[in-house]
Amino acid sequence: MPKEKIVFFCQSCGAESSKWMGQCPACKEWNTLVEEIVSAKKGSKVVRTETRAKVTKLKDIESAEEQRITTQITELDRVLGGGIVPGSMVLVGGDPGIGKSTLLLQVCRNLAASNQNILYVSGEESLQQIKIRAERIGEFSDNLSLLCETNLEVVGEIVGKERPKVVVIDSIQTMYNENVASAPGSVSQVRESTGSLLQLAKGLGIAVFVIGHVTKEGVVAGPRVLEHMVDTVLYFEGDRHAAYRILRGVKNRFGSTNEIGVFEMRSEGLEEVENPSEFMLGGKPEGASGSVVACSMEGSRPILLEVQALVCHSNFGIPRRTAAGTDFNRVNLLMAVLEKRVGLQMGNCDAYVNIAGGIKMNEPAIDLGIILALVSSYKNRPIDEKTICFGEVGLSGEVRAVNMAEQRILEAKKLGFTTCIVPEVSKASLHKIEGIQIIGVKNVKEAIDKMV
Ligand code: TYD
Ligand code: MG
């Protein structure tokens, strides 16, 4: 019998400790250490007479044409960097009920339809429940196999026998490894399970999709370690009550990160949204103060969005400030810039900033949008509806250059906007674009004078 030992794991960052502590010494979170039983590893003796590992020169490695399997869902392919790479491991995280199982079942459906052997392993739902979901989505081909199993050894055996092209593991938190004593979903279980799936993926060249639930703080429940192990991490986000969902690439060894895919949840599954800007601007009020259209680059794609602000007199000593969809501290900073560099007395005002549509945007290029929305609401003067703006705002109130200005302007033109407020520095490098007026601004004051 191997000896069992008790270890405490932080459920937030995966740090290990031999005794319980109120605060995790690694990530400084409180009350996250949980007791887990780990069987001590048998002392394995490493006997090496000759090493089989060989050093190879980079120039001697043949560059294999990287073949990708397309999921036939353009939005997903883009986030993956052009399709599924065989032998890769993709983690799909998101809140419960956001649509992870639905998305991956649709992926399975498309892949199976193109004559590839696919295995969907569910540890959460019964075969009947998956069938009900599949019936909502549509016709399925015969190449899709389902398995309800939580024991990873059994999964491994079946995968070895069936040799599917793609395996989907519906929730890593339900899987367990018999060699680990702690409960499914605990840090050591999830880590071990991911490790054995990784071996399966790399060993047999099978692409593995792993679904992971996230905690309310927005990290994959339990271990951050999981993110280091897998090749690609995708997060599914969006308001569960709203129809659209955003799939965001957070890490990608085979493509660029920051790409997003936009979907809409319909009664017959997830539908791609081809023009997200149009979608985001739907329902924008006309002639209202405190609303302005800004542009943010998400990976290679510009997205127009509406920044809303409401500034009103505060009835209490300490003004209330909230920011939905953007960084709260950034909003506070921009308000300080307005106070000091433009001379607006915002110290006794409540301010609420919102990115309409519930999407989260943290690119500094929307700074100018936030500033203009705040001032527009403060002065109660609407901003011209056919105008968009973008630019990063510095602490001295200067408007700094942003990248890919031209793409942003072209996107605005496509949606019928006629004026663009851009950083003066970016304007210099721009070609003339027909049908749209480009106004360069050096600082916040200039932008406000021109617009509000
Ligand atoms: P699901 O994929 O089960 O979420 P997750 O696996 O991330 O927990 O999605 C569940 C939600 O999606 C559920 O509230 C019902 C809704 N839904 C639709 O609106 N249309 C559909 O066609 C399907 C399959 C689900
Ligand atoms: Mg699910």
Side-chain angles (χ1 to χ4, degrees):
M1 274 290 282
K3 229 169 85 190
E4 281 184 349
K5 133 180 141 175
I6 290 175
V7 184
F8 295 87
F9 280 106
C10 169
Q11 299 294 307
S12 159
C13 71
E16 198 179 317
S17 161
S18 57
K19 63 179 197 303
W20 190 85
M21 278 178 274
Q23 187 187 28
C24 167
C27 68
K28 307 281 181 255
E29 284 287 322
W30 287 93
N31 265 334
T32 52
L33 289 185
V34 169
E35 174 187 306
E36 283 179 24
I37 302 163
V38 177
S39 6
K41 287 207 181 75
K42 284 178 229 138
S44 58
K45 266 187 268 164
V46 184
V47 187
R48 287 226 168 133
T49 44
E50 62 177 284
T51 46
R52 237 174 286 150
K54 206 170 76 208
V55 180
T56 315
K57 292 264 193 298
L58 179 63
K59 71 173 172 55
D60 296 336
I61 305 170
E62 277 176 44
S63 56
E65 186 61 39
E66 191 187 324
Q67 29 152 287
R68 299 213 180 216
I69 309 167
T70 164
T71 60
Q72 289 152 43
I73 301 175
T74 328
E75 297 285 309
L76 176 62
D77 279 347
R78 175 165 359 84
V79 180
L80 287 173
I84 305 168
V85 177
S88 70
M89 192 158 171
V90 181
L91 172 70
V92 181
D95 292 331
I98 200 92
K100 302 178 294 296
S101 308
T102 308
L103 177 72
L104 286 175
L105 198 60
Q106 279 178 271
V107 170
C108 288
R109 169 174 175 243
N110 290 354
L111 292 173
S114 58
N115 264 335
Q116 311 199 54
N117 207 357
I118 311 295
L119 180 66
Y120 186 99
V121 184
S122 179
E124 295 198 333
E125 288 156 314
S126 68
L127 292 173
Q128 273 72 29
Q129 284 169 317
I130 301 172
K131 181 80 182 167
I132 294 170
R133 189 199 305 273
E135 273 165 1
R136 293 177 74 166
I137 293 173
E139 290 284 309
F140 274 75
S141 106
D142 302 338
N143 292 317
L144 177 63
S145 322
L146 298 176
L147 175 68
C148 283
E149 184 56 66
T150 52
N151 186 344
L152 268 178
E153 244 152 71
V154 179
V155 174
E157 252 168 53
I158 291 180
V159 168
K161 220 170 7 177
E162 301 267 323
R163 294 293 174 105
K165 265 258 165 65
V166 176
V167 176
V168 174
I169 304 287
D170 197 344
S171 122
I172 189 73
Q173 275 93 7
T174 55
M175 296 294 151
Y176 74 95
N177 196 320
E178 271 177 354
N179 301 331
V180 182
S182 55
S186 62
V187 173
S188 40
Q189 269 298 356
V190 171
R191 189 156 48 186
E192 282 302 316
S193 306
T194 313
S196 54
L197 285 169
L198 198 63
Q199 277 176 1
L200 211 66
K202 304 288 169 200
L204 302 175
I206 296 170
V208 179
F209 279 88
V210 172
I211 294 179
H213 295 292
V214 297
T215 57
K216 59 182 188 305
E217 286 84 25
V219 293
V220 173
R224 274 317 243 317
V225 268
L226 217 85
E227 294 190 4
H228 304 304
M229 293 165 81
V230 300
D231 297 310
T232 304
V233 180
L234 310 180
Y235 276 109
F236 218 9
E237 58 186 46
D239 195 347
R240 196 143 40 110
H241 308 290
Y244 63 83
R245 305 277 187 270
I246 289 155
L247 188 69
R248 195 183 287 275
V250 188
K251 164 186 173 179
N252 196 348
R253 285 189 185 144
F254 311 110
S256 70
T257 48
N258 298 325
E259 287 288 356
I260 65 167
V262 185
F263 296 90
E264 190 183 348
M265 185 59 102
R266 297 265 186 90
S267 58
E268 62 286 336
L270 288 157
E271 189 99 3
E272 295 173 63
V273 176
E274 264 149 37
N275 196 337
S277 298
E278 219 167 279
F279 201 71
M280 291 298 154
L281 295 180
K284 183 180 175 313
E286 281 177 20
S289 67
S291 155
V292 66
V293 180
C295 184
S296 173
M297 285 307 284
E298 294 298 316
S300 56
R301 189 157 61 156
I303 291 190
L304 300 186
L305 45 101
E306 185 197 347
V307 182
Q308 298 181 322
L310 187 64
V311 179
C312 54
H313 186 77
S314 177
N315 290 319
F316 301 101
I318 304 164
R320 264 182 73 84
R321 265 122 206 226
T322 64
T326 186
D327 185 17
F328 174 72
N329 292 323
R330 192 89 200 153
V331 171
N332 275 338
L333 184 151
L334 293 173
M335 291 188 74
V337 168
L338 280 177
E339 183 130 12
K340 182 90 178 173
R341 307 289 171 196
V342 187
L344 298 181
Q345 296 303 316
M346 287 190 153
N348 53 0
C349 291
D350 290 345
Y352 309 93
V353 173
N354 177 32
I355 307 290
I359 188 171
K360 284 198 197 81
M361 289 289 166
N362 283 324
E363 207 208 347
I366 64 168
D367 286 357
L368 192 56
I370 297 176
I371 290 262
L372 289 179
L374 283 167
V375 177
S376 159
S377 176
Y378 179 78
K379 297 192 171 176
N380 211 7
R381 274 188 242 155
I383 290 176
D384 175 42
E385 261 146 46
K386 293 283 167 210
T387 301
I388 76 145
C389 61
F390 57 85
E392 182 182 343
V393 173
L395 289 187
S396 349
E398 81 277 20
V399 178
R400 310 177 72 107
V402 296
N403 57 1
M404 300 200 251
E406 196 154 333
Q407 276 103 313
R408 297 178 206 248
I409 296 172
L410 289 174
E411 175 79 6
K413 191 185 160 199
K414 204 165 85 189
L415 287 167
F417 288 88
T418 53
T419 315
C420 275
I421 311 288
V422 306
E424 181 77 42
V425 216
S426 302
K427 194 189 169 192
S429 62
L430 284 172
H431 301 291
K432 192 165 163 27
I433 298 169
E434 280 297 318
I436 197 152
Q437 188 197 3
I438 301 170
I439 303 175
V441 290
K442 279 201 205 70
N443 52 46
V444 172
K445 200 157 188 316
E446 217 180 303
I448 294 170
D449 289 345
K450 284 196 174 131
M451 291 312 302
V452 196

